[in-house]
Amino acid sequence: MKRLKILGITILCLPIALVVIWMLYEIFGMCVNHITTGEQTDTLRRNLESEIADIEIISVYSETGNTSGTGNHVECLSRIVFATEMRKAEIEDCLSKYYAFDEWSCYVNQTDDGYYTIYINTSAPFADNIEGH
């Protein structure tokens, strides 16, 4: 009788334990995704500062989540607005050893006020995380 009671309690507690484990996994994934985005943005900033001598960083922005709005996946977006005397083609040429410019996930734009914006958008390590839904 005692074994049946223990078995019954175990069966009742099992779904709760599985939900808690799933929640901890999702929280862990969110933390890893945000850390990855921060590292991607820091690396982008370092690469810009090492390759462009006269760079002036105007703003730095990063976002983790479903940035494209298509599907339920998580992405790491880094965007830096900067000023330089270089042209867009020269900037892309300097940074081509770090990034593959494809006009979708990695590109440079020139704004109307003469600044440049570089975007890097990559898939997160935990791309199927709850954060992307």
Side-chain angles (χ1 to χ4, degrees), residues 4-18:
L4 287 175
K5 193 180 221 181
I6 292 173
L7 181 63
I9 291 173
T10 303
I11 290 173
L12 288 174
C13 291
L14 189 60
I16 295 169
L18 292 175

Side-chain angles (χ1 to χ4, degrees), residues 40 65 67-68 75-78 104-106 119-123:
Q40 174 179 286
T67 60
S68 66
E75 300 162 324
C76 303
L77 172 68
S78 301
W104 174 253
S105 63
C106 180
Y119 296 88
I120 306 290
N121 193 1
T122 60
S123 181

Side-chain angles (χ1 to χ4, degrees), residues 58 80-91 108-111 113-118:
I58 308 300
I80 297 180
V81 179
F82 62 97
T84 182
E85 294 297 319
M86 295 175 75
R87 303 229 184 268
K88 179 182 172 183
E90 294 172 315
I91 295 168
V108 177
N109 278 341
Q110 186 169 15
T111 62
D113 50 2
Y115 297 131
Y116 291 97
T117 305
I118 185 167

Side-chain angles (χ1 to χ4, degrees), residues 24-45:
L24 291 174
Y25 175 76
E26 290 295 324
I27 291 169
F28 174 76
M30 289 172 61
C31 292
V32 170
N33 288 345
H34 283 270
I35 290 168
T36 301
T37 302
E39 288 176 358
Q40 174 179 286
T41 304
D42 292 343
T43 301
L44 176 60
R45 183 177 188 144

